Amino acid sequence: MKTTTSLAVALGATTAFASTLAPRATLPKVTIRGNAFWAGSERFYIKGVDYQPGGASDAADPLADTTVCKRDIAEFKKLGVNTVRIYTIDNSQNHDECMKALADAGIYLALDVNTPKYSIRRDKPAQSYNSAYLQNVFATVDEFQKYDNLLLFFSGNELINNIPTSNTAPYIKAVTRDIKQYIRERNYRKIPVGYSAADIDDNRLETAHYLNCGGDMERGDFFGFNDYSWCDPSTFKESSWEQKVKDLGNYSIPIFLSEYGCIEPDRKFGEVSTLYSSKMSPVYSGGLVYEYTVEGDSDQQKYGLVKLNSKASVSERPDFAEFGKALKAAQTPSGDGGYKTNLPPSECPGRSTTFLVTGDGVPIIPPKAKAFFEDGAGPGVGLKGAGSQEVGSESPGTTTESSSSSGTDSDGSASTEEGAASGLRAPALSVASVVCGFAIIVSSLLGGAIIL
């Protein structure tokens, strides 16, 4: 629903390096095995809430303000969530303290890489897919890959929201591919990358299968969709959830609800017990309730679990207690929850009257953006940049081949609006690493300590 240098000065390099080594709590890195998430040897179910104080109209980064994030983390602990989704962040800011506070509370982050000014436009996908856009996306990856409690990246959100906009699907796949390849080429851990889809009856299944077909690098690592079809009082069958589980029963990657929580007529969260039951666990891995704060117009305000009073306090609405109670009462299945492994990727759907994609061609990454794989993206522009949506198309064409023969491991063990804002290897020795290593030695001689 959300739409969203030089190393000549050793001291400067040392300061930047120290920031990356800021002490932070450690949670087990979540990986993918089969069609499920895993935290170590334990099946991981997303029990979360969508979190963007200020909403789309006043985009701000809640993890760049420690007063705000610590105010809200106290509320998250009351709810008992293990994941928050954030739609917009400022990649020019430092996030160490808030990410550590989340980790201390046992909470992971599901992060959208797009911002209102840096995202793919539904009406101009080719024009808005360019190196300026990808530079900012990659800078976000650079900023957050270092945190063990980063759960995943969303490459897009509800870009397809009707039949005509289904023609943007190749761009969703291209951004997903580009992020995955950037992660690999920069020697980062395998962080899952996937898409958050609108629940459009006309082409929900086609979208899901399209984003899970083709080469390894082009396929998403997971599929999230925003589903408001269970409206209390309802049942597994009446809500259409039973049919959706059947439709995606052999889907080879994890599925979860990236938004849920119907507000009509009363919000009792009756769906929570079913979402985490054995009826759904063989296919689904939980979900995120929409949304934490009261935002937007009168209709959207009904979704908020809390109302903001100030930077230091919130007022809990009745829905807060209802959701917390439902989440605490939900019992996930024991063991692996009936997950499936060794399922084949999807077959690419053909063009139809409801899915306007012809063939399996995917836009080629702009040449300027490809250079970031080797050189790095550089600093993020944050929320004050000029934007990328009008820069113009830079892709030289389309390709039907995967950008790489390798992608997410099948067992996941090493893996992992219009703007609708996508193997651990030893890193090469660089000038930066030499300078930083020297800085550590100097720091030790001076009695300083760096804690890893």
Side-chain angles (χ1 to χ4, degrees):
M1 183 171 292
K2 292 284 188 187
T3 62
T4 75
T5 67
S6 170
L7 293 174
V9 182
L11 179 60
T14 304
T15 302
F17 183 66
S19 174
T20 66
L21 294 181
R24 57 184 184 269
T26 300
L27 287 175
K29 299 180 184 73
V30 173
T31 59
I32 292 172
R33 185 163 71 249
N35 68 342
F37 294 107
W38 299 84
S41 61
E42 299 293 322
R43 175 84 184 265
F44 181 82
Y45 297 90
I46 295 172
K47 298 180 177 180
V49 65
D50 297 309
Y51 174 49
Q52 193 74 55
S57 62
D58 185 23
D61 182 352
L63 298 186
D65 188 324
T66 55
T67 300
V68 168
C69 77
K70 290 181 179 180
R71 172 199 68 191
D72 296 330
I73 290 170
E75 299 296 313
F76 299 154
K77 291 168 71 174
K78 292 181 187 179
L79 287 172
V81 300
N82 65 11
T83 306
V84 295
R85 176 186 183 179
I86 296 182
Y87 297 82
T88 299
I89 57 88
D90 185 334
N91 59 15
S92 69
Q93 300 297 309
N94 183 282
H95 300 88
D96 287 346
E97 191 168 351
C98 285
M99 286 299 290
K100 180 181 182 301
L102 284 172
D104 288 342
I107 296 172
Y108 291 86
L109 172 64
L111 181 62
D112 289 65
V113 298
N114 296 289
T115 66
K117 291 182 180 180
Y118 291 85
S119 53
I120 301 296
R121 289 181 54 150
R122 295 186 183 100
D123 60 337
K124 299 178 180 179
Q127 176 177 303
S128 52
Y129 175 68
N130 51 56
S131 59
Y133 164 65
L134 290 172
Q135 186 278 332
N136 203 54
V137 167
F138 295 161
T140 296
V141 173
D142 289 339
E143 169 61 17
F144 282 88
Q145 56 79 27
K146 60 192 174 187
Y147 302 113
D148 291 348
N149 59 325
L150 174 72
L151 175 62
L152 55 84
F153 288 120
F154 288 110
S155 58
N157 177 63
E158 294 193 345
L159 195 60
I160 300 171
N161 64 358
N162 54 28
I163 293 172
T165 54
S166 63
N167 66 357
T168 63
Y171 293 89
I172 299 169
K173 184 172 277 190
V175 176
T176 299
R177 172 204 64 202
D178 297 343
I179 297 171
K180 290 176 66 173
Q181 187 164 3
Y182 185 78
I183 288 171
R184 189 191 67 180
E185 297 300 325
R186 300 305 296 167
N187 299 311
Y188 297 152
R189 68 179 173 93
K190 290 187 177 180
I191 303 163
V193 182
Y195 178 65
S196 173
D199 187 24
I200 307 299
D201 287 340
D202 290 321
N203 51 36
R204 179 197 319 109
L205 278 177
E206 288 94 336
T207 299
H209 290 307
Y210 178 80
L211 296 178
N212 187 37
C213 76
D216 289 349
M217 291 297 284
E218 295 169 355
R219 295 198 306 269
D221 297 318
F222 62 83
F223 182 71
F225 69 99
N226 305 335
D227 188 342
Y228 297 87
S229 58
W230 183 306
C231 296
D232 288 321
S234 191
T235 66
F236 185 46
K237 184 173 184 177
E238 291 173 359
S239 65
S240 78
W241 282 20
E242 181 179 40
Q243 186 60 49
K244 290 171 182 175
V245 169
K246 290 178 180 178
D247 290 341
L248 294 167
N250 289 316
Y251 202 63
S252 65
I253 58 178
I255 298 171
F256 62 93
L257 301 183
S258 39
E259 295 177 7
Y260 75 96
C262 176
I263 56 174
E264 302 294 343
D266 294 309
R267 213 176 191 199
K268 300 298 183 184
F269 296 102
E271 68 267 48
V272 171
S273 61
T274 299
L275 179 59
Y276 297 102
S277 73
S278 58
K279 292 179 180 179
M280 299 188 71
S281 62
V283 181
Y284 283 59
S285 290
L288 299 125
V289 158
Y290 188 84
E291 65 180 322
Y292 176 65
T293 50
V294 172
E295 307 289 352
D297 59 26
S298 58
D299 287 334
Q300 186 177 345
Q301 288 175 7
K302 298 176 183 178
Y303 289 96
L305 300 180
V306 304
K307 182 178 180 180
L308 299 179
N309 296 327
S310 69
K311 285 185 66 172
S313 71
V314 301
S315 296
E316 297 171 2
R317 303 179 74 216
D319 287 358
F320 184 95
E322 291 289 346
F323 176 54
K325 181 172 65 176
L327 197 59
K328 288 178 175 64
Q331 298 293 318
T332 55
S334 60
D336 62 23
Y339 94 108
K340 301 174 183 177
T341 189
N342 297 322
L343 293 171
S346 299
E347 294 290 329
C348 290
R351 184 184 178 94
S352 68
T353 57
T354 58
F355 191 69
L356 309 181
V357 177
T358 301
D360 57 356
V362 177
I364 297 170
I365 187 171
K368 291 181 181 178
K370 193 172 183 179
F372 299 139
F373 293 157
E374 181 175 352
D375 301 334
V381 299
L383 300 177
K384 296 181 180 180
S388 62
Q389 296 174 349
E390 302 298 330
V391 169
S393 176
E394 296 177 354
S395 175
T398 61
T399 178
T400 58
E401 298 179 359
S402 171
S403 56
S404 172
S405 61
S406 64
T408 303
D409 294 343
S410 60
D411 67 355
S413 57
S415 158
T416 26
E417 179 215 19
E418 305 299 355
S422 170
L424 185 62
R425 302 200 302 257
L429 188 63
S430 65
V431 173
S433 61
V434 173
V435 171
C436 294
F438 176 74
I440 293 173
I441 295 170
V442 172
S443 177
S444 298
L445 291 174
L446 295 176
I450 296 176
I451 303 173
L452 289 171

